[in-house]
Amino acid sequence: MIIKVITCKVSEECKEDFFEEQKIWKALSPLNGFLGQVGGWSNKEPLTACIFAFWENQVAYQYFMDNSHDEIFFRSNQSSTYKFIDVSLYEETITIPGSEKRIIHAFEKGKYVRMARVQVKPDHSDHFIEMQETIWNPGMSVAEGLLGGLFASSKQRMRDFLVFSCWENERFHQEYVEKHFPVLVAATKMQTDVQEIKGEELVLEEAWRVLPSNNGGL
C-alpha cells in the first residue's frame, strides 16, 4: 500500500475556502486502486491541514498522478488557498492490528487519527522495525478503540518512517496515551533509536472523507 501524506498551511482568511475546495477530491472515489482518503485540522496548529491518501500499490498511484491528478487539482483551485504544502510518500511494511480486519473499514469508521513521522538514527533502522513488530504492534492492538493502523517506510528519505493509527474517537486515543504509551516507550527504549519525531493528532473532517466506490480495499 502507498500512503500519501499532505500537510498544508493556510491563513485564517483562507481556511474556509480550503475546507470547501478539499471536497472536490471526492472525485478520487471511482479510480482504480484507490483505497481511501481522510483528513482534518491539526490539533497543535489549527491552520495546518493534514490529508492522508491510500493507494493499493505504486502502479495505481502513478497512473492516478499521470492521468487524473492535475485535472482534479486545477478544478479545485486549491493552490490559491494555502501558503505552504508538503507531500510525502510512504509504503506500508507492517499492518498495525485493530478491531477492524480490513484497513478500509478503519477509514470508514474512524473519527480520530494519530500520525508520527520518525527519523531513525544511522544503523538503527533494523532495531526500530523489530521493536515495531514485536512490542509496539502487540501493545497498541490491545488498546480499546483502535480501529487499525500501519507502519510504513519513506519512498523519498532513508531512515524515515510513518506510524499511522486510526481511532474510534479522541477519548480512546487519550486513554491509550495515558495507559499504554509510557509502558511501550520504556519497553522499546525508543530514545536509543529515534533521532527526530514529528507527531500530529486530528479529528477527521467528515466532509473530507473519501471512500472507494469500486468496492475495493485491503
Side-chain angles (χ1 to χ4, degrees):
M1 183 194 304
I2 299 297
I3 306 97
K4 188 175 190 176
V5 179
I6 307 158
T7 56
C8 296
K9 295 184 183 296
V10 305
S11 59
E12 186 66 53
E13 58 269 24
C14 290
K15 187 173 182 179
E16 185 175 345
D17 288 340
F18 182 94
F19 178 92
E20 292 299 322
E21 297 296 350
Q22 185 60 33
K23 298 178 184 178
I24 298 294
W25 293 95
K26 296 282 187 182
L28 293 170
S29 184
L31 300 183
N32 289 335
F34 173 70
L35 300 177
Q37 180 167 284
V38 294
W41 300 100
S42 165
N43 284 5
K44 294 189 302 182
E45 301 179 21
L47 293 178
T48 296
C50 302
I51 312 297
F52 308 93
F54 305 87
W55 294 85
E56 190 171 347
N57 51 46
Q58 181 65 37
V59 172
Y61 171 72
Q62 195 59 52
Y63 186 86
F64 154 68
M65 290 299 296
D66 292 342
N67 295 277
S68 304
H69 174 273
D70 289 357
E71 178 187 352
I72 301 172
F73 178 74
F74 290 119
R75 190 188 340 149
S76 75
N77 194 36
Q78 199 170 29
S79 62
S80 65
T81 66
Y82 57 79
K83 52 187 179 181
F84 172 82
I85 185 171
D86 177 78
V87 179
S88 300
L89 289 179
Y90 295 85
E91 186 165 12
E92 181 189 29
T93 54
I94 307 171
T95 299
I96 300 174
S99 60
E100 296 297 329
K101 293 182 178 179
R102 302 170 71 205
I103 192 68
I104 185 63
H105 294 155
F107 303 153
E108 291 174 357
K109 299 178 180 180
K111 303 295 184 184
Y112 197 76
V113 158
R114 160 70 178 178
M115 169 189 73
R117 291 202 261 195
V118 185
Q119 185 72 32
V120 175
K121 296 175 183 177
D123 301 321
H124 281 251
S125 292
D126 289 346
H127 183 261
F128 182 72
I129 294 170
E130 180 185 354
M131 293 297 96
Q132 183 69 39
E133 290 182 301
T134 60
I135 297 179
W136 280 104
N137 275 14
M140 291 182 69
S141 65
V142 299
E144 186 178 4
L146 175 66
L147 298 173
L150 51 87
F151 177 84
S153 56
S154 172
K155 293 182 67 66
Q156 300 154 306
R157 295 177 290 273
M158 293 182 61
R159 300 183 285 108
D160 187 5
F161 299 93
L162 172 74
V163 183
F164 174 93
S165 56
C166 193
W167 300 80
E168 287 185 34
N169 55 48
E170 185 174 0
R171 178 177 63 85
F172 282 126
H173 177 262
Q174 188 58 37
E175 289 178 358
Y176 158 74
V177 170
E178 294 172 0
K179 296 178 181 179
H180 301 279
F181 185 75
V183 177
L184 296 173
V185 169
T188 58
K189 298 181 180 179
M190 187 174 70
Q191 67 276 10
T192 64
D193 291 329
V194 173
Q195 180 170 303
E196 182 181 24
I197 184 167
K198 296 179 180 179
E200 292 284 3
E201 296 177 21
L202 51 142
V203 176
L204 296 181
E205 293 283 358
E206 190 59 42
W208 294 356
R209 193 188 309 268
V210 187
L211 301 175
S213 60
N214 56 12
N215 296 317
L218 297 180

